[in-house]
Amino acid sequence: QVQLVESGGGLVQAGGSLRLSCAASGRTLRNYDMGWFRQAPGKEREFVAAINWSGGSPRYADSVKGRFTISRDNAKNTVYLQMNSLEPEDAAVYYCCVRRPLAGSTEYWGQGTQVTVSS
């Protein structure tokens, strides 16, 4: 009932920037929390950033604080991840996830978008 499609990934040199987008369809996400995760080859999936349904209380992994910014546009049913000062360590497949802020609520995931950072 919720479909998510990430876009905006690609190849960028270290120090560059990318903006990822995650567009949702099937249901309005006004009352959903949204987040970004990433998984690099040979590593576990890790939390990157999250934002609550109202657009407040943004949270970030320590590794991206000061460089990444999460935002959402409920009118467009879209969540964004602005990534600045990219490092080779940021290379991964980035996934968006949404869920209602209730215990036991269903999580919805996108297919992921590849981010490659060259040194």
Side-chain angles (χ1 to χ4, degrees), residues 22-61:
C22 177
S25 62
R27 181 180 296 178
T28 179
L29 300 185
R30 185 179 66 84
N31 297 124
Y32 285 68
D33 292 341
M34 297 178 164
W36 288 94
F37 294 74
R38 67 187 182 187
Q39 186 167 20
K43 300 181 66 176
E44 298 293 321
R45 183 175 298 185
E46 65 176 345
F47 169 79
V48 176
I51 190 167
N52 73 4
W53 68 271
S54 68
S57 301
R59 297 186 294 111
Y60 300 94

Side-chain angles (χ1 to χ4, degrees), residues 49-118:
I51 190 167
N52 73 4
W53 68 271
S54 68
S57 301
R59 297 186 294 111
Y60 300 94
D62 288 342
S63 60
V64 306
K65 286 181 179 178
R67 300 188 298 118
F68 291 11
T69 302
I70 188 171
S71 62
R72 64 189 292 167
D73 186 339
N74 286 340
K76 297 181 179 179
N77 230 25
T78 300
V79 61
Y80 304 95
L81 184 68
Q82 178 66 47
M83 306 186 295
N84 298 325
S85 301
L86 283 162
E87 304 168 353
E89 293 75 18
D90 296 317
V93 177
Y94 284 71
Y95 301 89
C96 65
C97 176
V98 305
R99 70 174 182 180
R100 297 187 69 181
L102 298 171
S105 62
T106 301
E107 295 181 350
Y108 300 93
W109 294 84
Q111 85 292 341
T113 185
Q114 177 71 54
V115 172
T116 303
V117 184
S118 61

